[in-house]
Amino acid sequence: MGSDTSWFIIVVVVIIVNISSSIVGGSADSYDPQALKALFRHYANLTLANHHTGAEHKVNLPSNFTGMEVSVKRLRSGSLWTRGTDSIYVKIPPNVKTLPYVKRLAIVYDNLGNWSSMYYNVPGYSLVSPVIGFDVYNYSDLTMIMDGNLTLSVESELISIHFPYLKVGDKNTTLLKCVGFEPDGSVEFKNWTNNNVCKVKKAGHFCVVAEMPAVTEEKEGRAWKWWVIGFGIGIVGLIVLVSMGMVVMLKWRKMEITKMEKESDTSVALDTFWVRGDHKMPCASMIRTQPTLEHDFVP
Ligand SMILES: *[C@@H]1O[C@H](CO)[C@@H](O)[C@H](O)[C@H]1NC(C)=O
Ligand SMILES: *[C@@H]1O[C@H](CO)[C@@H](O)[C@H](O)[C@H]1NC(C)=O
Ligand SMILES: *[C@@H]1O[C@H](CO)[C@@H](O)[C@H](O)[C@H]1NC(C)=O
Ligand SMILES: *[C@@H]1O[C@H](CO)[C@@H](O)[C@H](O)[C@H]1NC(C)=O
């Protein structure tokens, strides 16, 4: 009886925990921007191995990354300095060089699209554009993109990030801000020039954000999840409590029955003890005739 109940409790708890975790979605740790960057570099390497021109090439990603756009371009440092280089969302003007100097470099561009908010967040703000990023690597040996980002040194004009769209809705656009995400997870606010453009001095990941009010939608979504989890935990708690109550009750009842049985077995012997009180003979017969169990069981 007792072990059946425990198994029932375990099964219910496991089911509810699974439901809750699938509602919340995998752990946040699985969306690591640094791991994503390494993965983009890996697929960019495969792309460059098959394309030997200096054009920008689309990088093919596994199908579970649908919604992200990645491309790669290789060029000479000299060309970057004299002409700059344009991609669809990132325009690097002339007079930009890498530190340290390398002969050739590879630029990996990415647009995280609908995945943006899985990888990047700004507390107190909501993302109104996709996250657009680019990383600059050493590609001097023409076989492998070297790990370790190169730093850009911008001498005159800044680099422009053009955002493909802003999901502003009826929000006050004067309150929008451009942010840059640092590799250590911190956030740097930058001047916003309207026209969907953000001016930056270095490579990295960028996004347009709006102050808190816009965050309600997302908040509600999360609140809803927590309600479901809370409800699940509440139900589990209730089931556990009720089951434990039942187990305790049954155990207690069983103990009482055995006690009663023992008592009635020994009641003849006990008679002599009770008889010593004011009530004399009737005691023994009372015990035998009364429905003792039910009588004693009243709480
Ligand atoms: C796609 O699947 C691979 C493993 O097959 C995993 O490493 C990667 O994180 C997944 N992509 C996303 C966006 O979760
Ligand atoms: C983004 O959209 C694609 C389809 O366009 C979908 O396969 C993918 O799951 C979406 N990603 C997220 C995080 O919603
Ligand atoms: C937008 O915000 C700015 C600064 O807070 C304010 O001056 C302006 O009146 C607001 N515009 C609208 C349409 O709410
Ligand atoms: C932002 O603009 C202010 C003045 O408008 C300027 O002083 C400041 O240097 C700019 N910041 C950046 C990061 O461009």
Side-chain angles (χ1 to χ4, degrees):
M1 194 62 151
S3 74
D4 281 354
T5 324
S6 341
W7 274 112
F8 176 69
I9 294 170
I10 289 166
V11 167
V12 169
V13 168
V14 166
I15 288 172
I16 296 203
V17 164
N18 277 339
I19 290 171
S20 308
S21 61
S22 70
I23 286 168
V24 170
S27 74
D29 294 350
S30 60
Y31 298 106
D32 172 15
Q34 295 307 311
L36 192 66
K37 214 170 89 173
L39 195 132
F40 288 169
R41 197 178 66 240
H42 169 75
Y43 287 101
N45 257 322
L46 299 183
T47 304
L48 285 182
N50 295 320
H51 297 89
H52 302 286
T53 69
E56 185 174 338
H57 302 287
K58 182 180 184 297
V59 172
N60 291 316
L61 297 173
S63 61
N64 62 338
F65 290 92
T66 306
M68 300 183 190
E69 283 174 22
V70 178
S71 58
V72 62
K73 178 191 270 184
R74 65 179 172 86
L75 70 165
R76 287 170 174 272
S77 266
S79 167
L80 180 70
W81 175 258
T82 54
R83 288 191 287 274
T85 186
D86 285 358
S87 173
I88 177 166
Y89 305 126
V90 180
K91 310 223 177 291
I92 303 177
N95 299 333
V96 172
K97 63 185 179 193
T98 63
L99 294 176
Y101 170 83
V102 293
K103 194 171 176 198
R104 290 188 187 81
L105 50 106
I107 306 179
V108 177
Y109 300 98
D110 60 84
N111 167 7
L112 297 189
N114 60 343
W115 294 87
S116 299
S117 58
M118 312 284 259
Y119 288 90
Y120 293 96
N121 273 295
V122 187
Y125 294 83
S126 67
L127 273 52
V128 301
S129 78
V131 169
I132 302 292
F134 71 107
D135 292 290
V136 184
Y137 301 100
N138 183 359
Y139 194 62
S140 295
D141 72 353
L142 285 174
T143 56
M144 274 280 284
I145 297 176
M146 299 295 164
D147 193 0
N149 288 51
L150 296 174
T151 304
L152 291 182
S153 162
V154 176
E155 304 242 319
S156 47
E157 208 185 325
L158 296 179
I159 299 162
S160 331
I161 310 292
H162 296 248
F163 293 96
Y165 57 84
L166 298 183
K167 283 188 289 181
V168 180
D170 54 357
K171 286 159 212 155
N172 186 341
T173 51
T174 61
L175 299 176
L176 297 183
K177 288 191 170 73
C178 179
V179 298
F181 298 98
E182 300 294 309
D184 66 1
S186 65
V187 170
E188 190 180 280
F189 288 87
K190 296 177 188 292
N191 286 341
W192 169 246
T193 62
N194 279 324
N195 304 323
N196 291 15
V197 175
C198 184
K199 299 279 193 183
V200 304
K201 282 186 189 140
K202 53 187 172 187
H205 285 79
F206 308 94
C207 179
V208 182
V209 296
E211 267 177 80
M212 208 48 178
V215 102
T216 44
E217 254 175 68
E218 215 180 337
K219 268 268 163 86
E220 267 166 23
R222 264 178 217 160
W224 178 80
K225 283 174 189 169
W226 287 113
W227 273 109
V228 171
I229 294 164
F231 190 70
I233 290 170
I235 292 208
V236 172
L238 204 67
I239 290 171
V240 169
L241 273 181
V242 168
S243 316
M244 269 165 61
M246 272 167 61
V247 170
V248 168
M249 189 94 151
L250 287 168
K251 278 245 165 78
W252 185 60
R253 194 171 189 147
K254 218 171 177 176
M255 270 167 57
E256 283 295 303
I257 291 169
T258 33
K259 207 170 103 190
M260 282 304 133
E261 278 166 354
K262 269 189 191 146
E263 251 171 34
S264 57
D265 284 351
T266 54
S267 57
V268 182
L270 285 171
D271 280 350
T272 46
F273 172 75
W274 285 344
V275 163
R276 280 205 280 156
D278 291 338
H279 315 283
K280 297 197 171 176
M281 287 315 285
C283 289
S285 58
M286 281 265 291
I287 287 162
R288 287 207 183 87
T289 49
Q290 260 194 2
T292 332
L293 263 178
E294 261 124 45
H295 176 252
D296 264 10
F297 213 66
V298 174

